[in-house]
Amino acid sequence: DGQCSEIDSFSVTVTIPLASIIGKDTLCVGTAFNLQGSGGGAYMWNTGSTNSLINDIANVDTTYSLVTSMGLCSDTAYHAIVVVPYPIAQVSNDTLIAGGTSFNLLAAGGTSYSWFPPGGLSCIGCPNPVATPEVTTTYYVIVSNGNGCTSMDTVTITVDLLCKKIFIPNAF
């Protein structure tokens, strides 16, 4: 039949960038953070950086974008940062109590509370422990919000040991 044919093959590998950003998305105001980009040969952030890793400080809600490219191909990823305020810790005023008496501490401003030192307190993880210190004590409370931001405040209970409450039975 006189026809000739030849078959040949070759493979083509096309590398397509796939941009992604890894990092926290909710931060306390003023917190330093890193965002790690990946997925390309060259990087261009909306901040102007050409590194795969950027550092910034969370002051306002911000959306970061990253363009990764390989040759003529590129891809874009976005990462939103939400900035939350610190709680405002509020505690009872400093007070004077007689030795052997108690005082109800009051804390507000957050969703969780941690008191220290624990001595003389009815609980250390509640907002309103009963304090019965034996000596003058400064109590610290760390107030946290639901996003892990914390603040601290103090209250000093001065114990007047000269004015100790004495138990006098009403019958002998």
Side-chain angles (χ1 to χ4, degrees), residues 4-172:
C4 291
S5 68
E6 188 175 316
I7 297 176
D8 195 4
S9 66
F10 65 93
S11 62
V12 175
T13 302
V14 178
T15 304
I16 300 173
L18 182 59
S20 68
I21 301 171
I22 298 171
K24 291 186 175 185
D25 56 4
T26 302
L27 297 161
C28 304
V29 66
T31 302
F33 66 94
N34 299 321
L35 293 178
Q36 178 67 54
S38 64
Y43 300 93
M44 177 55 75
W45 293 87
N46 62 326
T47 62
S49 175
T50 57
N51 296 321
S52 63
L53 177 72
I54 62 168
N55 307 300
D56 206 351
I57 296 176
N59 290 315
V60 296
D61 293 355
T62 305
T63 298
Y64 292 84
S65 64
L66 170 65
V67 177
T68 60
S69 59
M70 292 180 171
L72 298 176
C73 299
S74 66
D75 189 34
T76 304
Y78 299 92
H79 188 86
I81 299 286
V82 176
V83 178
V84 294
Y86 286 96
I88 298 173
Q90 301 167 354
V91 296
S92 312
N93 291 329
D94 294 348
T95 192
L96 171 70
I97 63 171
T101 62
S102 298
F103 182 75
N104 290 345
L105 296 174
L106 303 173
T111 57
S112 67
Y113 303 86
S114 181
W115 291 90
F116 60 96
L121 295 178
S122 62
C123 66
I124 59 170
C126 62
N128 304 320
V130 175
T132 312
E134 294 178 11
V135 295
T136 298
T137 304
T138 298
Y139 290 103
Y140 299 82
V141 63
I142 297 174
V143 176
S144 301
N145 62 19
N147 296 300
C149 303
T150 62
S151 65
M152 184 178 73
D153 204 351
T154 63
V155 57
T156 299
I157 299 179
T158 303
V159 178
D160 185 348
L161 296 174
L162 297 176
C163 184
K164 190 167 186 168
K165 186 174 181 180
I166 299 173
F167 174 71
I168 302 174
N170 60 4
F172 291 96

